[in-house]
C-alpha cells in the first residue's frame, strides 16, 4: 500500500550554506529499509522540484536508521541574503514527510 | 585522573535571542556542574562587528550579561561554572560588563576567563600577503578581491583554550567564536582529564555538545511528534550526564516539561548535518554512524559507542562581507479573490516604480504570497480560495536608492490598489545590507589563542 512518509519516518531540517539539510529517521528497522530503498536522490529531487534548484546529496547513517539529504540551492541565497519566509529551510523536514512510499500490507505504521 | 565520575552539563541558549528562562530554570530546578550557552550563528558575528564599529564597548551578546545577573547567586551557591561563546567580537568588553554585574551583586573572589585569538579581521591582509588564500569552501574563489567589503573574520576555535581557562580556576569562561560543541567538550576534558589525543573521547564530547547546542531542540522542541510533548511552556532544557569513559545520558531536570526520547535526540543528531561519518570540528572528526542510542528510562537516553578520528590541521574561518542590499515589505490582502488581487498588487508596485524610471530585472524581484503554499511549494495542496493572504514583496540589488524607491510604493496600495488591502505593519520598509558568508580554511599554526583569567 502507498502511505505518506510521515507514517514511516520523522524528520528535521536546517540550513547548510546555500542549501538545506533534511534528516529523515525511520521509526523502526523495516521503515529504514523502506526509506533506504525508496528515498533515492532522484525521488527527493523530484519531490522538491519547486524548492530545490541544485544538486541533491544523500548520506546514510544505518545506526540511527537515518538518511541525510543536502538540497543545494533551495534557500533563495541562504543565510542573511534570502528574502524567503523559510530562509533556513526549517520547514523542509516536514515537506519531505509528504512523500508517498510503498510499504507491505502488514507494515507497522506510525500512529 | 578524573576529578569526578559524573559531570552534569546543561546548555541553556541555542542562539542569541533564545528564551532567558532556559538558563534561569536550569540552575534553579535541578543539580548541575556546568551551564553552557551558545550565542553565535553564522551571521551573528557580522551583526556584532557592526555594533562594535558604532560603539567600541559593544559587540558581544548583551543577553548573556542580563542572564548572568539573574543566575549568578544560585550558581555561586551550587558551584555551577559557566562557559559561553558570548564574547562575540569583543570578549574583553563582555568580561567588563559581567565584572560590573558581579560587583553589583556583591560577589567576591569570582574568576572570569577570556579566550581570544579567534578574531583575525585585523590580520586578514597580512595573512593574505603571507600566502593564505581563504578560498571559499563552496565556490573555490579567493578572498583577496573582496577584502574591502569584509565585515568580520573569525576562526572557529576549539576546546583547548577553554580547558586552559578552567585549569586557571575560571568560574566563568567567555569566548569569541568557539564552536558550539567545544563549549560542552571543554568542561569534560577538564573534569575527566581527556586530552586531544583521546580521539574517541573528543568525538563523544563533541556529539554531546552537538545534541544540546540548540537548547530545547533535543528535549521536544521543533519535534515532529509535538502532540506527545507535554507542557511545552515549561519545557526543560537539556542536561548531559557524562561519564569518564565517553558515554553519556541526555536528560532534563525532573518535573520540567518537554520530552527526551530516542526520537527527540535522533532528530537533533541529524540537524544541520552534512556527511554523518565525517563531522569536522577543531577538536576531532566525529563519526555519527558509530552512535548507539538507548532509552534508559523516562526522559533519559543513553548514548554510547562513539568513535572519532584525529582533528585536521586546519581551522574553519567564517568571513562575512557586504554583498549589496535587500528590501522586503508585506501587507495583507483579504478576499474575495485574495490571491488574484495579491498578484495584481505585486505587478502594480513594480510597474509604478518603472513609471518613475526604476526597473528591476526578474531575478532581482521577490514576490511571495503566504497562504498559497509557499514553504511547501509543489508539495502540499494549496487552498483553492484562501480568505486572506499575506503578500511579501521586495528585491535585492546593489543600488540602495533604487530599492528604497521600491519600498515607497508598497503602502500606497492600501488606497490605490484593489480593495481589501490592509495590515501594513512596520511602516515603510528600508533597504538593509546583505551580509554574505564566506567559509574558508586556515592552517592551525597561523592562529594563536590566548587565555586570561581575572578575579573580580
Amino acid at each position: 500500500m502507498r502511505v505518506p512518509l510521515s507514517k514511516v519516518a520523522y524528520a528535521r531540517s536546517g540550513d547548510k550554506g546555500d542549501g538545506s539539510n533534511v534528516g529523515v529517521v525511520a521509526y523502526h528497522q523495516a521503515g529504514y529499509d523502506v526509506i533506504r530503498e525508496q528515498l533515492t536522490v532522484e525521488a527527493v529531487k523530484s519531490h522538491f522540484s519547486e524548492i530545490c534548484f541544485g544538486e541533491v546529496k544523500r548520506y546514510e547513517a544505518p545506526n540511527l536508521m537515518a538518511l541525510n539529504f543536502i538540497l543545494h540551492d533551495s534557500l533563495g541565497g541562504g543565510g542573511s541574503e534570502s528574502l524567503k519566509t523559510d530562509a533556513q529551510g526549517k520547514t523542509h523536514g516536514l515537506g519531505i514527510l509528504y512523500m508517498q512510499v510503498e510499504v507491505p500490507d502488514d507494515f507497522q505504521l506510525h500512529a | 585522573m578524573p576529578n569526578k565520575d559524573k559531570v552534569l552539563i546543561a546548555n541553556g541558549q541555542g542562539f542569541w535571542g533564545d528564551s532567558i528562562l532556559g538558563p534561569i530554570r536550569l540552575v534553579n530546578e535541578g543539580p548541575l556542574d556546568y551551564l553552557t550557552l551558545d550565542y553565535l550563528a553564522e551571521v551573528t558575528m557580522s551583526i556584532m562587528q557592526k555594533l562594535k564599529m558604532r560603539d567600541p564597548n559593544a559587540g558581544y551578546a548583551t543577553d548573556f550579561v542580563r542572564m548572568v545577573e539573574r543566575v549568578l547567586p544560585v550558581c555561586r551557591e551550587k558551584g555551577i561554572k559557566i562557559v559561553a561563546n558570548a564574547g562575540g567580537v569583543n570578549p574583553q568588553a563582555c568580561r567588563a560588563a559581567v565584572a560590573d554585574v558581579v560587583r553589583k551583586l556583591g560577589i567576591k573572589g569570582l574568576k572570569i576567563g577570556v579566550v581570544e585569538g579567534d578574531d583575525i579581521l585585523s590580520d586578514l591582509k597580512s595573512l593574505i600577503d603571507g600566502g593564505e588564500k581563504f578560498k571559499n569552501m563552496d565556490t573555490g574563489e579567493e578572498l583577496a578581491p573582496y577584502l574591502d567589503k569584509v565585515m568580520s573574520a573569525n576562526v572557529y576555535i576549539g576546546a583547548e583554550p577553554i580547558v586552559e581557562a578552567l585549569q586557571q580556576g575560571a568560574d566563568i569562561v567567555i569566548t569569541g567564536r568557539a564552536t558550539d560543541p567545544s563549549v560542552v567538550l571543554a568542561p569534560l576534558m577538564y573534569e575527566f582529564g581527556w586530552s586531544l589525543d583521546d580521539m574517541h573521547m573528543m568525538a563523544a564530547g563533541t556529539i554531546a555538545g552537538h545534541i544540546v547546542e540548540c537548547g530545547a531542540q533535543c528535549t521536544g522542541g521543533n519535534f515532529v511528534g509535538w502532540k506527545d510533548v507535554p507542557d511545552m511552556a515549561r519545557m526543560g532544557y537539556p542536561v548531559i550526564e557524562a561519564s569518564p569513559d565517553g558515554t553519556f545520558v541526555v536528560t532534563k531536570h525532573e518535573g520540567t516539561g518537554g520530552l527526551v526520547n530516542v526520537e527527540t535526540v535522533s532528530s537533533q543528531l541529524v540537524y544541520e548535518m552534512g556527511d554523518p561519518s565525517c563531522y569536522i570540528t577543531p577538536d576531532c572528526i566525529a563519526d555519527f554512524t558509530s552512535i548507539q542510542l538507548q532509552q534508559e528510562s523516562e526522559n533519559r537516553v543513553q548514548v554510547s559507542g562513539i568513535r572519532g578520528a584525529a582533528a585536521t590541521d586546519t581551522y574553519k574561518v567564517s568571513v562575512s562581507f557586504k554583498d549589496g542590499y535587500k528590501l522586503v515589505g508585506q501587507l495583507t490582502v483579504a478576499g474575495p479573490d485574495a490571491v488574484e488581487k495579491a498578484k495584481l498588487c505585486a505587478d502594480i508596485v513594480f510597474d509604478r516604480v518603472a513609471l518613475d524610471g526604476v526597473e528591476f530585472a526578474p531575478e532581482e524581484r521577490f514576490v511571495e504570497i503566504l497562504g498559497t503554499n509557499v514553504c511547501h511549494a509543489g508539495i502540499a495542496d494549496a487552498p483553492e480560495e484562501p480568505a486572506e493572504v499575506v503578500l511579501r514583496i521586495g528585491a535585492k540589488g546593489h543600488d540602495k536608492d533604487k530599492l528604497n524607491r521600491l519600498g515607497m510604493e508598497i503602502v500606497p496600495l492600501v488606497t490605490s490598489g484593489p480593495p481589501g488591502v490592509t495590515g501594513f505593519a512596520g511602516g515603510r520598509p528600508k533597504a538593509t545590507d546583505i551580509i554574505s558568508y564566506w567559509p574558508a580554511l586556515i592552517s592551525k599554526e597561523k592562529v594563536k589563542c590566548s587565555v586570561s583569567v581575572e578575579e573580580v
Side-chain angles (χ1 to χ4, degrees):
Chain A
M1 59 183 163
R2 276 180 90 68
V3 297
L5 181 59
S6 56
K7 297 283 182 192
V8 178
Y10 51 100
R12 175 165 295 167
S13 59
D15 60 326
K16 201 86 192 153
D18 75 328
S20 61
N21 113 279
V22 177
V24 184
V25 190
Y27 285 107
H28 50 64
Q29 187 57 44
Y32 182 62
D33 296 340
V34 166
I35 64 172
R36 195 170 48 179
E37 193 183 302
Q38 297 181 41
L39 298 192
T40 61
V41 164
E42 295 73 30
V44 171
K45 169 93 180 142
S46 152
H47 183 70
F48 285 102
S49 64
E50 290 186 32
I51 292 170
C52 172
F53 302 104
E55 183 198 4
V56 171
K57 266 200 144 160
R58 176 181 127 142
Y59 299 98
E60 296 180 7
N63 56 317
L64 300 172
M65 299 187 290
L67 298 176
N68 186 40
F69 296 92
I70 307 291
L71 314 183
H72 287 286
D73 192 4
S74 59
L75 302 178
S80 72
E81 268 176 67
S82 180
L83 298 177
K84 289 180 83 140
T85 289
D86 191 12
Q88 293 173 308
K90 296 276 181 196
T91 67
H92 295 177
L94 292 176
I96 203 168
L97 297 182
Y98 282 100
M99 280 182 85
Q100 295 281 317
V101 288
E102 188 69 37
V103 296
D105 286 342
D106 59 353
F107 187 88
Q108 187 198 335
L109 295 173
H110 185 74
Chain B
M1 275 295 285
N3 293 346
K4 293 192 174 112
D5 61 357
K6 279 270 187 301
V7 174
L8 298 179
I9 303 182
N11 187 49
Q13 295 277 280
F15 61 100
W16 191 15
D18 203 349
S19 168
I20 197 170
L21 288 171
I24 289 171
R25 294 185 47 230
L26 273 170
V27 301
N28 283 299
E29 295 181 12
L32 217 55
D33 298 310
Y34 287 86
L35 174 66
T36 65
L37 307 137
D38 169 32
Y39 286 98
L40 303 179
E42 284 170 357
V43 184
T44 318
M45 301 305 276
S46 62
I47 295 168
M48 288 173 163
Q49 195 67 50
K50 247 185 183 172
L51 295 170
K52 190 185 172 187
M53 276 151 61
R54 267 184 246 151
D55 174 1
N57 291 316
Y60 59 86
T62 45
D63 282 13
F64 175 67
V65 181
R66 280 190 285 272
M67 191 277 304
V68 166
E69 183 164 3
R70 291 183 65 174
V71 303
L72 203 53
V74 186
C75 288
R76 284 301 268 180
E77 192 189 308
K78 294 187 174 178
I80 301 169
K81 296 185 182 192
I82 300 173
V83 182
N85 58 13
V89 297
N90 205 346
Q92 290 291 358
C94 184
R95 168 157 63 189
V98 171
D100 285 345
V101 164
V102 173
R103 282 187 284 267
K104 189 172 138 191
L105 291 170
I107 291 170
K108 301 264 186 268
L110 186 109
K111 288 182 176 172
I112 309 174
V114 161
V115 174
E116 288 173 291
D118 64 296
D119 192 341
I120 57 166
L121 181 61
S122 57
D123 306 325
L124 215 47
K125 188 161 185 319
S126 63
L127 283 164
I128 288 174
D129 291 344
E132 287 289 323
K133 306 268 186 246
F134 296 106
K135 280 189 182 168
N136 187 310
M137 288 168 74
D138 296 328
T139 66
E141 266 187 292
E142 291 185 16
L143 183 64
Y146 299 88
L147 199 52
D148 59 335
K149 292 182 175 167
V150 168
M151 296 279 296
S152 67
N154 294 82
V155 175
Y156 285 79
I157 61 166
E160 228 178 354
I162 303 173
V163 175
E164 203 181 315
L166 293 169
Q167 282 166 345
Q168 290 182 34
D171 301 291
I172 298 176
V173 184
I174 296 164
T175 75
R177 181 65 274 196
T179 68
D180 314 349
S182 295
V183 299
V184 173
L185 171 61
L188 296 175
M189 291 172 71
Y190 170 66
E191 294 288 351
F192 295 149
W194 293 347
S195 80
L196 282 175
D197 306 326
D198 303 330
M199 53 185 86
H200 304 319
M201 300 302 124
M202 293 303 101
T206 296
I207 286 169
H210 174 75
I211 291 172
V212 299
E213 73 182 35
C214 294
Q217 275 205 157
C218 67
T219 56
N222 189 18
F223 176 52
V224 166
W226 60 278
K227 287 182 182 169
D228 299 326
V229 179
D231 201 4
M232 284 178 98
R234 294 179 59 259
M235 186 100 87
Y237 272 55
V239 176
I240 293 288
E241 200 179 290
S243 300
D245 65 357
T247 61
F248 58 89
V249 170
V250 185
T251 185
K252 61 187 187 69
H253 288 330
E254 266 186 45
T256 58
L259 179 68
V260 181
N261 64 22
V262 170
E263 290 161 17
T264 65
V265 174
S266 296
S267 295
Q268 185 54 25
L269 279 171
V270 297
Y271 179 68
E272 289 183 346
M273 169 61 49
D275 177 351
S277 67
C278 185
Y279 183 81
I280 301 174
T281 76
D283 307 305
C284 66
I285 298 172
D287 180 2
F288 280 53
T289 66
S290 64
I291 303 169
Q292 298 300 320
L293 300 177
Q294 202 184 354
Q295 190 82 40
E296 190 190 87
S297 55
E298 198 184 0
N299 291 316
R300 287 177 65 85
V301 171
Q302 167 85 31
V303 187
S304 62
I306 293 170
R307 301 187 64 80
T312 65
D313 55 8
T314 52
Y315 283 121
K316 191 172 171 184
V317 186
S318 160
V319 179
S320 69
F321 67 108
K322 276 194 201 172
D323 193 18
Y325 305 92
K326 63 180 178 182
L327 173 138
V328 64
Q330 70 178 48
L331 32 75
T332 300
V333 183
D337 305 318
V339 179
E340 203 182 329
K341 290 189 295 186
K343 283 180 183 160
L344 175 62
C345 283
D347 290 341
I348 292 171
V349 169
F350 286 110
D351 287 349
R352 279 193 185 149
V353 292
L355 289 173
D356 207 16
V358 175
E359 305 221 22
F360 290 90
E363 68 274 12
E364 293 176 309
R365 298 178 183 200
F366 173 80
V367 176
E368 204 175 57
I369 302 174
L370 283 176
T372 65
N373 194 12
V374 160
C375 291
H376 292 151
I379 295 176
D381 294 328
E384 275 180 30
E385 188 53 60
E388 74 245 333
V389 293
V390 172
L391 170 66
R392 299 183 71 236
I393 180 167
K396 284 198 252 190
H398 287 271
D399 185 336
K400 196 174 185 176
D401 294 338
K402 222 174 111 175
L403 289 171
N404 280 328
R405 179 67 192 88
L406 178 77
M408 293 166 70
E409 288 300 340
I410 299 174
V411 191
L413 285 169
V414 174
T415 54
S416 61
V421 180
T422 184
F424 193 85
R428 182 185 283 174
K430 292 227 159 44
T432 55
D433 291 328
I434 291 180
I435 308 292
S436 282
Y437 169 67
W438 185 289
L441 297 174
I442 186 172
S443 72
K444 279 186 173 166
E445 63 198 27
K446 300 268 178 72
V447 180
K448 291 277 167 283
C449 288
S450 66
V451 175
S452 69
V453 177
E454 286 173 13
E455 189 171 316
V456 184

